[in-house]
Amino acid sequence: MTLHLSPYDRSLLAGEYGAGAKMAMSVVVRMAEFHGAERLLDIEQAHIDSSIYMGEAGLEFAERLAGLGAKVAVPATLNVSAVDEHHWQEWAVPPDWAANARRQMAAYVQMGCRPTWTCAPYQVDLIPKFGQQIAWGESNAIVFANSVIGARTERYPDLLDICAAITGRVPAVGLHLTENRAGQLLLELSDIPLALQQDDSFYPVLGHLLGKVARERIPVVTGLQVRPTEDQFKALGAASASSGAVALFHLVGHTPEAPTLEAAFQGRQPEESHTITLDSLRAARRELTTATGARLDLVVLGSPHFSLAEFKQLAPLLVGRRVHPEVKFLVTSSRAMTLLAQKAGYLAALEAFGGKVTVDTCILASPMLPPEIKRLMTNSAKYAYYAPGMLNTEITFGSLADCVQSAVEGRVVRDESLWK
Amino acid sequence: MELILRGRPVISGQASGVALVSTEPLSFWGGYDYQTGTIIDRRHALAGQCAAGRVLAVPFTRGSSTTTAVLLEAVKAGTAPAAIITTAPDSFFALASIVADEMYARPIPLVVLAEADFARLRTGQRVEVDEAGTVIVITL
């Protein structure tokens, strides 16, 4: 297969749109050749994960592109940064790290990206539409855009997302093409109590199991009797993109490309079938907890970033209560959602409770936690999956109500009634 | 004794080093400390091993799309594997190697081996990779 480049593609590659666009196009074309693509296609927008400062090379890459005059050719949102731009001093972030992270933020803004600083852009700004071709980074955003919205993106890794945004062009491969969006394996929910299906904590656990079984393939789930909320979809997708590399799932009857089982598989046969029982979900839930005792230093919510609806759900649980003096309570969110929550009056309850909000970033992307914080609790499967290895901490997974109750009591407590 | 395995070059290059092999996929984000080249994913079989300068053999990358950025950091810091062998072309490794070439003219050689050949690799073997994608294993 030979790659066919359009006149515009060739102009970009020849440097007619500047040296920055030339470098970006060189990366896009070399990746197209890697994939054996026949052509490139236009994207309508991008979400850039490369904005997270991790070290000198990523900063050098961003400043090289910006310095060469590169600008995004399509609207582009920015994923989290490595610092809360205006409040990093309240945490354990080293000043030289913060300075570099802020330089990296500036480079992406200079290239014309919108300073959204969130891993849940689909709840904030530039929300894509069904069938749109987009180039998104950030695994939880990718799986949400593909599965819940029906927009079309490959799993754009760091460094390629910005090159796609600068050129507006991507290799015509993978999930951009209809035929590659068919389900590959079938997972049937069997005898899962309705009360559990209606509970928020069901979705991250199901997602964790989905990722483990599906790995990088496209799972199709049947038997779900309730319509998940946007935040339940968010938790499901984020979990499946942490324990596995799921970029697209179909929930028959609930997601846009799966009105029926046949549509989800595009008329093909599943490669394999699995049954999901309450037992397998219990086992998946157990895997999300690494802590053994009841000791607790930090309750952390908001991976992916907390939404307005989640702030609304949290606020009444906190009224008239107070976090235990030896426990910290943290919500990670976007500036946009935090501002809306404040205007709606939901933040007052959190402040009175003794909780804090961090915006722009999260505990995985920013070296913000002081070393004495060793025992975490969360309702996020993504935090639960990554925190033990990345932060060298122990973690307990629980429901939102479990997290609040534990924060008040100063020790891990969980209501097991739905999981019995 | 030498074992000659014919692979396919994804990003051509010459390298040699001591093999570090696992049949488990690996995420570099949350899995690789670029300051030391150590594998830090506690759930991974290679946890605690240092991959800097070694020929890393894993079937493919898992999970986060931030793997590419971590690998680029490792190239700049001098803690990247000398070469990477996989069982299928891996786009995240390819991208990191291409950008390492654009930025530093130091691409990481990438080779794909058939699964049966990949299964003959063992941690600790001395391995050479050439531009044609041939993997020479010194078995002694």
Side-chain angles (χ1 to χ4, degrees):
Chain A
M1 241 181 287
T2 324
L3 177 64
H4 176 80
L5 295 178
S6 71
Y8 170 66
D9 296 334
R10 287 196 294 273
S11 304
L12 280 165
L13 206 50
E16 290 169 32
Y17 289 83
K22 179 183 176 171
M23 178 177 156
M25 192 58 172
S26 173
V27 172
V28 170
V29 167
R30 290 177 75 178
M31 285 308 290
E33 286 165 348
F34 163 84
H35 284 293
E38 290 179 64
R39 63 187 173 94
L40 306 182
L41 54 77
D42 285 335
I43 51 163
E44 294 186 55
Q45 56 146 289
H47 179 65
I48 311 301
D49 186 52
S50 312
S51 51
I52 306 179
Y53 171 78
M54 279 185 302
E56 289 173 22
L59 176 58
E60 193 176 344
F61 174 76
E63 291 189 336
R64 170 93 59 97
L65 282 171
L68 292 172
K71 299 279 182 204
V72 293
V74 295
T77 45
L78 284 166
N79 201 45
V80 293
S81 161
V83 284
D84 179 335
E85 189 178 12
H86 300 296
H87 308 95
W88 60 268
Q89 297 93 334
E90 296 167 19
W91 296 88
V93 181
D96 56 337
W97 172 283
N100 284 340
R102 295 179 69 174
R103 269 172 62 191
Q104 189 150 327
M105 293 171 91
Y108 283 97
V109 172
Q110 191 188 329
M111 286 190 263
C113 303
R114 300 188 189 191
T116 44
W117 311 122
T118 184
C119 53
Y122 46 83
Q123 294 183 315
V124 173
D125 187 23
L126 275 181
I127 298 162
K129 294 180 179 62
F130 181 81
Q132 269 189 335
Q133 299 289 2
I134 62 175
W136 274 26
E138 169 51 48
S139 65
N140 100 81
I142 292 163
V143 70
F144 190 97
N146 274 319
S147 312
V148 184
I149 299 174
R152 299 184 171 201
T153 180
E154 268 285 278
R155 295 172 64 218
Y156 282 90
D158 280 30
L159 314 172
L160 184 57
D161 48 18
I162 186 64
C163 293
I166 290 166
T167 60
R169 303 283 282 167
V170 296
V173 296
L175 297 175
H176 288 293
L177 308 177
T178 303
E179 62 269 27
N180 298 326
R181 299 177 65 85
Q184 292 169 296
L185 67 164
L186 177 63
L187 292 101
E188 295 177 87
L189 293 175
S190 165
D191 290 330
I192 308 301
L194 199 58
L196 184 58
Q197 294 186 36
Q198 288 164 336
D199 192 79
D200 288 339
S201 66
F202 172 66
Y203 293 89
V205 172
L206 177 62
H208 178 71
L209 182 59
L210 212 57
K212 288 189 56 162
V213 176
R215 299 195 304 272
E216 73 291 355
R217 296 171 297 173
I218 301 170
V220 176
V221 180
T222 63
L224 189 68
Q225 294 155 284
V226 299
R227 166 86 189 164
T229 65
E230 183 176 271
D231 288 309
Q232 289 170 344
F233 273 128
K234 173 170 88 169
L236 170 66
S240 73
S242 299
S243 62
V246 175
L248 168 62
F249 62 80
H250 299 298
L251 278 186
V252 174
H254 301 289
T255 55
E257 288 167 77
T260 64
L261 188 63
E262 198 185 22
F265 282 101
Q266 295 184 16
R268 297 174 216 163
Q269 288 301 310
E271 289 167 13
E272 54 190 73
S273 299
H274 300 263
T275 303
I276 297 181
T277 62
L278 186 54
D279 263 352
S280 57
L281 287 167
R282 285 192 193 108
R285 179 169 176 262
R286 277 196 298 275
E287 284 180 6
L288 290 171
T289 293
T290 61
T292 46
R295 292 181 62 188
L296 184 61
D297 301 321
L298 170 73
V299 170
V300 59
L301 312 172
S303 180
H305 272 169
F306 229 48
S307 69
L308 181 60
E310 288 173 302
F311 276 115
K312 183 182 179 185
Q313 201 179 353
L314 175 63
L317 301 179
L318 307 178
V319 173
R321 309 177 84 186
R322 184 82 196 162
V323 68
H324 190 276
E326 283 169 32
V327 175
K328 286 184 170 29
F329 191 91
L330 174 67
V331 178
T332 50
S333 183
S334 61
R335 297 179 190 188
M337 287 296 146
T338 304
L339 190 62
L340 289 175
Q342 186 192 22
K343 298 279 183 205
Y346 305 141
L347 283 198
L350 180 62
E351 281 160 18
F353 180 72
K356 279 196 156 194
V357 179
T358 281
V359 297
D360 301 345
T361 188
C362 79
I363 60 165
L364 301 177
S366 186
M368 60 185 280
L369 294 187
E372 63 270 20
I373 290 185
K374 283 287 168 209
R375 286 162 293 259
L376 276 51
M377 184 168 186
T378 186
N379 66 344
S380 156
K382 184 166 183 171
Y383 273 153
Y385 188 85
Y386 284 114
M390 294 184 70
L391 306 176
N392 197 24
T393 54
E394 292 181 346
I395 200 154
T396 301
F397 170 83
S399 69
L400 184 66
D402 292 339
C403 286
V404 172
Q405 187 62 32
S406 300
V408 171
E409 293 193 24
R411 64 189 184 95
V412 172
V413 286
R414 296 200 300 178
D415 178 355
E416 302 287 338
S417 56
L418 281 173
W419 296 94
K420 280 193 174 133
Chain B
M1 281 275 292
E2 276 185 4
L3 184 64
I4 294 176
L5 307 171
R6 306 266 172 218
R8 186 157 74 77
V10 174
I11 302 292
S12 286
Q14 270 189 319
S16 65
V18 177
L20 186 61
V21 184
S22 174
T23 55
E24 267 183 68
L26 177 68
S27 170
F28 274 54
W29 188 66
Y32 198 89
D33 176 0
Y34 74 79
Q35 284 169 338
T36 60
T38 307
I39 292 167
I40 52 170
D41 179 352
R42 286 204 225 157
R43 293 177 172 88
H44 199 276
L46 297 180
Q49 301 264 7
C50 181
R54 299 180 70 172
V55 174
L56 178 67
V58 288
F60 51 90
T61 54
R62 180 191 59 70
S64 172
S65 47
T66 309
T67 279
T68 50
V70 178
L71 192 47
L72 184 68
E73 295 294 343
V75 171
K76 183 174 169 81
T79 60
I84 302 176
I85 300 173
T86 56
T87 55
D90 186 286
S91 63
F92 289 6
F93 285 148
L95 177 68
S97 183
I98 286 168
V99 176
D101 189 20
E102 296 273 340
M103 293 283 296
Y104 306 117
R106 275 155 58 196
I108 302 167
L110 303 179
V111 175
V112 171
L113 282 181
E115 286 192 20
D117 286 338
F118 186 96
R120 303 176 74 171
L121 299 174
R122 295 285 179 276
T123 292
Q125 289 169 332
R126 178 122 204 116
V127 172
E128 288 171 21
V129 170
D130 76 11
E131 304 226 326
T134 306
V135 177
I136 301 164
V137 183
I138 319 269
T139 54
L140 295 175

